[in-house]
Amino acid sequence: MSKLRNILIGAGIATVGAIGVKKAVDYFQEKKQEEAVSQLPEDASISNPQEEVAFAVVESNSVQDFLDKTFGTVGRYQPNRSPKIFEYQDKDYMVIWAYDQQQSKNQMLVFLYTDKGREMIGSVGYTASKTDYRLNMQNTPFAVAVNGKKLQSGEGETSGTNDVDFVLA
């Protein structure tokens, strides 16, 4: 978890208060309740460390500068759900849900932290009438859930939705 704390501090990202370790399967099943996520007691242990996730729910406004610099337009993306930063199986990820002011749609952006910085491995734009995606997550244990389907890679369009989520593949 110290690696995750260093990422948060280095990026100037403020948490909402939910920082902890949980069984990954529980954490990802409770994705709708990220604000009220419970933490394991300090003396608790998870039998298999490969099954645990260290996480932080962050303040939406603390990723605004990152979004502005990454996409080159101040205010284009406005976070509309608490972003998540987490460590799973020795890799670090950031997921941001935002509204794209330029294209008038919701967007889920997925980043993998690497030695070179943050690498975007997923982008899903969605409205009630259409969902478009570009995903490069086949080398990760994750997928994007859209309309009951789990997508890991490729580029395309599917029917519209009001919600997409980041889940275990």
Side-chain angles (χ1 to χ4, degrees), residues 15-28:
T15 67
V16 174
I19 298 176
V21 176
K22 239 183 156 174
K23 286 182 80 170
V25 67
D26 295 337
Y27 176 72
F28 289 105

Side-chain angles (χ1 to χ4, degrees), residues 83-102:
K84 294 182 183 181
I85 295 180
F86 57 94
E87 180 182 333
Y88 183 64
Q89 297 181 348
D90 294 324
K91 293 190 178 175
D92 299 292
Y93 301 87
M94 177 169 59
V95 182
I96 300 173
W97 290 266
Y99 185 74
D100 182 341
Q101 306 279 5
Q102 194 172 48

Side-chain angles (χ1 to χ4, degrees), residues 7 17 22 26 31 37 40 45 60 67 76 89 97 102 112 117 121 124 142 145 167 169:
I7 287 173
K22 239 183 156 174
D26 295 337
K31 60 192 169 287
V37 79
L40 286 175
S45 64
S60 296
L67 290 170
R76 175 180 175 181
Q89 297 181 348
W97 290 266
Q102 194 172 48
L112 171 66
I121 60 171
V124 181
F142 297 108
V167 297

Side-chain angles (χ1 to χ4, degrees), residues 64 67-68 71-79 98-105 107:
Q64 188 64 59
L67 290 170
D68 294 345
F71 296 100
T73 305
V74 174
R76 175 180 175 181
Y77 291 99
Q78 297 290 315
Y99 185 74
D100 182 341
Q101 306 279 5
Q102 194 172 48
Q103 296 188 18
S104 300
K105 64 181 175 180
Q107 195 79 26

